[in-house]
């Protein structure tokens, strides 16, 4: 979600309007009465004492910037449009992919390959044509974020990467806008409201980003589709409460959701940190920065690519294919979790999950050593026997190489351990298009 400048423009598809440069919109007017059709449309929430006509009029004058039109942004925007928010700004530089559809409920099969921002805007206009939907087909970066955030009343962070979280937080603090933030992964999620009524900002709680190799996203760790749906709906609820004047309970608490247990927990947050770099009494961050450099990772929800090994410790999928074609004796070690091996695998691979290798699991290591010894030809005992390691993307395989390079077992002999760059997804893209991608 970070970078600079608009993404490539896409042709018209599935009745979507042709993309155009969207200028920063002017503020919405505060109206004094509802039309007959609006009363009919919003009648179920108009009769709520907490909302009423005054709250509905405030909604119609409110603008919300949605950063990310994915698993969180889709349900969030859907409910905000249905509730009658005046304007929705939809930021996303990505396109709709088949793997999105199990959780990103605004998109359709007919819109595969289409801009997510435009796809979401088209779907929202069908829900409520009175809502202004402004798609921004761009990668949010320090050159664009502050200008956009200043043009909206509330910001919802629905991104899936650490650099964008810091970028959006800092932009909201500098612009004085409340930030409703959520995340979802596997069977868990969390939600908080930052920079609202004296509460902390994101940097107050997390002044330093986590090491990039410890961060997992949906592509790496998976997610059950309904989990971001629940968190996105809760985000929408907090936006509506802020917009109508009800306020929020999560500017001084974080909501933690455990889908497996069906349990919600509230964690009390520390108050605003007076020494915070961006919202403190003497801030050192007074302008937006290079957040990819700050976090040491790319601002994308795609799978991260690590570089832990030297080039001579790695082989490409093309090189490994040549090794197979030349029938070079070797052992291929698949270090993915069993749940991923069940999805797809190369038939020649030996299964040894990274978690077992990291634990120095004796049974796993002995089994692996035995397979290497069995595969080694007697004539090559004085040479380093080749061992190749593969995973999904070539990240875990690099960690495994470092572990296997330190193997010291009687009878193992010399081994040369290398990983396969890009892993099985590179194999599917470059060698065998029939190999499943996940």
């Amino acid at each position: 979600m970070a970078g600079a400048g608009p993404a490539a423009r896409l042709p018209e598809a599935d009745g979507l309007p042709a993309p155009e440069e969207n200028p920063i919109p002017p503020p919405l007017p505060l109206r004094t009465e509802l039309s007959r059709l609006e009363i009919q449309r919003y009648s179920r929430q108009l009769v709520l004492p907490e909302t009423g006509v005054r709250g509905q009029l405030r909604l119609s004058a409110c603008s919300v910037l949605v950063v990310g039109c994915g698993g969180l942004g889709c349900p969030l925007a859907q409910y905000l449009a249905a509730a009658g928010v005046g304007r929705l700004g939809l930021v996303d530089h990505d396109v709709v992919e088949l793997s999105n559809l199990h959780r990103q409920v605004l998109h359709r099969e007919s819109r595969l390959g289409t801009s997510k921002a435009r796809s979401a805007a088209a779907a929202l206009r069908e829900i409520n044509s009175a809502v202004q939907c402004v798609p921004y087909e761009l990668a949010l970066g320090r050159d664009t974020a502050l200008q956009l955030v200043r043009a909206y009343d509330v910001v919802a962070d629905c991104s899936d990467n650490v650099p964008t979280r810091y970028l959006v937080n800092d932009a909201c603090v500098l612009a004085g806008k409340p930030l409703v933030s959520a995340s979802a992964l596997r069977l868990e999620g969390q939600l908080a409201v930052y920079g609202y009524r004296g509460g902390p900002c994101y940097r107050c709680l997390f002044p330093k980003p986590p090491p990039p190799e410890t961060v997992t996203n949906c592509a790496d760790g998976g997610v059950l589709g309904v989990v971001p749906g629940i968190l996105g709906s809760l985000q929408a609820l907090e936006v509506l409460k802020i917009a109508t004047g009800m306020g929020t309970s999560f500017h001084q608490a974080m909501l933690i959701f455990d889908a497996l247990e069906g349990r919600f927990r509230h964690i009390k947050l520390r108050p605003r940190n007076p020494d915070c770099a961006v919202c403190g009494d003497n801030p050192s961050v007074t302008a937006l920065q290079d957040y990819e450099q700050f976090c040491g990772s790319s601002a994308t929800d795609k799978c991260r690519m690590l570089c832990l090994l030297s080039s001579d410790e790695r082989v490409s999928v093309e090189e490994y294919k040549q090794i197979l074609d030349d029938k070079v004796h070797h052992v291929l070690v698949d270090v993915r979790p069993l749940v991923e091996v069940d999805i797809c695998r190369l038939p020649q691979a030996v299964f040894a999950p990274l978690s077992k290798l990291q634990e120095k699991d004796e049974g796993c290591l002995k089994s692996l050593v035995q397979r290497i010894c069995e595969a080694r030809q007697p004539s090559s005992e004085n040479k380093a026997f080749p061992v190749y390691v593969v995973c999904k993307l070539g990240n875990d395989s690099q960690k495994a190489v470092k572990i296997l390079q330190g193997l010291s077992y009687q009878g193992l002999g010399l081994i040369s351990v290398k990983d396969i760059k890009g892993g099985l997804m590179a194999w599917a893209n470059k060698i065998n298009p029939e190999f499943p991608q996940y």
Side-chain angles (χ1 to χ4, degrees):
M1 285 298 308
R9 299 304 179 184
L10 297 167
E12 291 190 35
D14 191 37
L16 298 177
E20 57 185 30
E21 296 290 345
N22 288 308
I24 301 300
L28 292 165
L30 182 59
R31 296 157 51 206
T32 58
E33 60 181 21
L34 298 171
S35 69
R36 177 182 61 83
L37 290 178
E38 285 177 313
I39 291 172
Q40 184 176 357
R41 176 186 282 267
Y42 306 119
S43 60
R44 300 302 187 269
Q45 61 194 38
L46 285 175
V47 297
L48 293 173
E50 294 84 357
T51 309
V53 171
R54 180 175 297 180
Q56 191 64 49
L57 289 170
R58 290 185 62 165
L59 275 183
S60 71
C62 181
S63 59
V64 180
L65 184 67
V66 182
V67 182
C69 300
L72 295 165
C74 282
L76 165 88
Q78 183 169 281
Y79 275 106
L80 294 183
V85 167
R87 178 183 296 134
L88 289 171
L90 306 164
V91 182
D92 206 307
H93 74 288
D94 210 350
V95 298
V96 181
E97 299 176 355
L98 188 61
S99 62
N100 300 149
L101 299 183
H102 90 289
R103 66 194 183 282
Q104 299 181 16
V105 293
L106 284 177
H107 309 308
R108 300 290 182 265
E109 289 182 1
S110 60
R111 292 176 183 158
L112 292 174
T114 302
S115 154
K116 283 186 181 180
R118 282 202 296 130
S119 172
L124 294 171
R125 291 182 187 116
E126 292 183 6
I127 293 172
N128 191 343
S129 60
V131 175
Q132 296 180 28
C133 297
V134 187
Y136 298 99
E137 300 176 46
L138 52 82
L140 198 66
R142 59 178 174 178
D143 297 329
T144 54
L146 193 54
Q147 185 184 23
L148 270 180
V149 166
R150 282 175 172 156
Y152 287 82
D153 300 312
V154 184
V155 178
D157 182 3
C158 304
S159 64
D160 188 21
N161 67 83
V162 178
T164 301
R165 292 192 182 280
Y166 281 98
L167 167 68
V168 174
N169 173 80
D170 292 1
C172 285
V173 172
L174 294 175
K177 306 292 183 176
L179 172 61
V180 182
S181 179
S183 63
L185 181 68
R186 299 188 178 109
L187 294 167
E188 300 173 339
Q190 63 185 43
L191 176 144
V193 176
Y194 297 115
Y196 183 71
R197 292 185 177 176
C201 79
Y202 184 73
R203 271 198 198 244
C204 289
L205 305 180
F206 308 104
K208 294 183 179 180
E213 65 272 14
T214 66
V215 177
T216 303
N217 59 26
C218 293
D220 281 329
V223 65
L224 191 64
V226 70
V227 175
I230 292 168
L231 270 299
S233 297
L234 289 169
Q235 270 186 289
L237 173 61
E238 296 311 306
V239 171
L240 292 173
K241 286 162 63 179
I242 292 170
T244 55
M246 284 186 258
T248 177
S249 303
F250 295 112
H251 63 298
Q252 293 180 329
M254 180 177 288
L255 180 69
I256 306 293
F257 175 55
D258 183 334
L260 195 60
E261 297 291 333
R263 182 179 302 168
F264 289 92
R265 294 186 295 125
H266 287 202
I267 296 177
K268 186 176 181 181
L269 298 179
R270 298 188 296 269
R272 184 185 71 86
N273 180 5
D275 297 321
C276 176
V278 66
C279 77
D281 296 339
N282 297 292
S284 58
V285 177
T286 57
L288 299 183
Q289 305 173 318
D290 183 336
Y291 292 89
E292 292 188 339
Q293 183 180 36
F294 174 65
C295 297
S297 60
S298 297
T300 174
D301 58 1
K302 305 299 183 186
C303 294
R304 70 197 190 284
M305 296 299 173
L306 302 179
C307 188
L308 307 177
L309 301 175
S310 62
S311 58
D312 60 354
E313 295 174 301
R314 314 192 72 186
V315 297
S316 66
V317 288
E318 293 89 349
E319 289 171 317
Y320 182 68
K321 176 65 165 56
Q322 190 62 51
I323 289 167
L324 292 178
D325 292 343
D326 293 343
K327 298 182 179 179
V328 176
H329 283 272
H330 70 282
V331 166
L332 176 66
V333 184
D334 188 332
V335 297
R336 294 174 300 153
L338 178 59
V339 67
E340 295 186 32
V341 175
D342 286 342
I343 297 171
C344 57
R345 65 182 300 175
L346 293 176
Q348 71 272 24
V350 177
F351 176 49
L354 176 63
S355 60
K356 295 287 188 182
L357 298 178
Q358 289 173 326
E359 295 166 3
K360 302 292 193 293
D361 183 86
E362 196 69 19
C364 177
L365 290 174
K366 282 186 175 181
S367 176
L368 180 57
V369 169
Q370 182 180 354
R371 291 296 298 271
I372 294 173
C373 292
E374 291 172 352
R376 183 193 295 270
Q377 289 183 312
S379 61
S380 64
E381 287 182 356
N382 296 324
K383 299 178 181 179
F385 182 76
V387 176
Y388 299 98
V389 185
V390 72
C391 65
K392 178 182 178 182
L393 296 161
N395 291 333
D396 286 349
S397 57
Q398 295 182 71
K399 300 175 186 177
V401 164
K402 288 185 171 292
I403 295 171
L404 295 178
Q405 285 174 339
L407 270 185
S408 178
Y409 270 79
Q410 187 175 3
L412 178 61
L414 292 173
I415 60 172
S416 168
V417 190
K418 298 183 179 183
D419 99 300
I420 299 176
K421 291 185 288 187
L424 292 174
M425 296 304 96
W427 182 267
N429 283 322
K430 299 178 180 180
I431 304 299
N432 180 8
E434 298 300 316
F435 193 84
Q437 298 195 46
Y438 63 97

